[in-house]
Amino acid sequence: MRLALLLPMLLFASAAAAEPDAKLLAELRQGGYVLFLRHTSTDFSQNDSRMTGFEDCANQRNLTDQGRAEARALGEHVKRLKIPIGEVLASPFCRTMETARLAFGKARATGEVRGGPLSADDPARYAPLRELLSSRVPENENLVIASHGNPFRALAGPPYLAEGEMAVVRPEGGGRFSVVARIPLTGW
């Protein structure tokens, strides 16, 4: 049991020495970016096949204790680095809402950030997410989107974001955006 509690602490202690590139950090402090965050660590022995709705957390793949600690640490790093956060949007699944709330203290559930209900091969499935990723974000704040690996990969291409990894996205308007950085949990 002690080892299970010590492991996340060691992970975050070593991560505390790392931080994003100084130029990127200066840009993030000015705002205007979308921070696309894949939810933190989950229990892969669970799945979503029996869920009756998004509020049915008992029948979804949920965050582990490590995932909760990762989300809190991520939020502490963002705060320590003085990265301004504006609106926080999250997929309505329990794991994404919990990640957002633990990291940033708030979340607004929206299906626009997860894609659907169209079939996976329909290009319109992720149109609302593309619009969010490409739309101007006000100066002095960054928009956070807490979601899943599949929607981001569908729009930005491979590789998948790891659990807890954040993509820094520059909106370019007209349905266009650039991924300027990917920050793993250990990169803060």
Side-chain angles (χ1 to χ4, degrees), residues 77-130:
H77 290 308
V78 168
K79 187 175 182 177
R80 172 182 60 83
L81 294 170
K82 297 180 172 71
I83 297 171
I85 301 300
E87 189 171 20
V88 178
L89 304 177
S91 162
F93 281 83
C94 296
R95 59 187 171 269
T96 48
M97 292 294 294
E98 187 174 18
T99 295
R101 287 177 178 143
L102 289 172
F104 304 106
K106 59 185 176 179
R108 180 170 66 86
T110 177
E112 293 178 339
V113 303
R114 67 172 285 271
L118 305 170
S119 67
D121 60 347
D122 187 329
R125 177 181 177 130
Y126 298 111
L129 177 57
R130 178 178 294 283

Side-chain angles (χ1 to χ4, degrees), residues 20-163:
D21 171 76
K23 183 176 184 262
L24 175 63
L25 189 53
E27 289 178 20
L28 287 173
R29 287 177 177 148
Q30 297 300 312
Y33 287 89
V34 178
L35 307 178
F36 188 101
L37 171 64
R38 182 175 177 195
H39 57 76
T40 52
S41 295
T42 58
D43 181 350
F44 278 94
S45 72
Q46 301 171 335
N47 67 56
D48 307 322
S49 63
R50 296 181 317 141
M51 67 183 246
T52 58
F54 292 118
E55 302 79 24
D56 183 11
C57 297
N59 288 304
Q60 293 181 36
R61 191 173 92 228
N62 293 300
L63 297 184
T64 60
D65 288 342
Q66 177 180 337
R68 290 180 189 91
E70 291 166 350
R72 287 185 196 99
L74 174 66
E76 290 168 9
H77 290 308
V78 168
K79 187 175 182 177
R80 172 182 60 83
L81 294 170
K82 297 180 172 71
I83 297 171
I85 301 300
E87 189 171 20
V88 178
L89 304 177
S91 162
F93 281 83
C94 296
R95 59 187 171 269
T96 48
M97 292 294 294
E98 187 174 18
T99 295
R101 287 177 178 143
L102 289 172
F104 304 106
K106 59 185 176 179
R108 180 170 66 86
T110 177
E112 293 178 339
V113 303
R114 67 172 285 271
L118 305 170
S119 67
D121 60 347
D122 187 329
R125 177 181 177 130
Y126 298 111
L129 177 57
R130 178 178 294 283
E131 183 63 26
L132 286 168
L133 293 172
S134 64
S135 294
R136 183 183 172 282
V137 176
E139 289 183 23
N140 300 314
E141 66 181 59
N142 295 288
L143 169 67
V144 173
I145 295 176
S147 190
H148 311 272
N150 286 334
F152 189 78
R153 184 179 189 279
L155 294 176
Y160 279 99
L161 290 172
E163 289 186 325

Side-chain angles (χ1 to χ4, degrees), residues 157-178:
Y160 279 99
L161 290 172
E163 289 186 325
E165 186 175 8
M166 181 180 284
V168 178
V169 177
R170 178 184 298 120
E172 296 176 352
R176 294 176 291 117
F177 62 89
S178 298

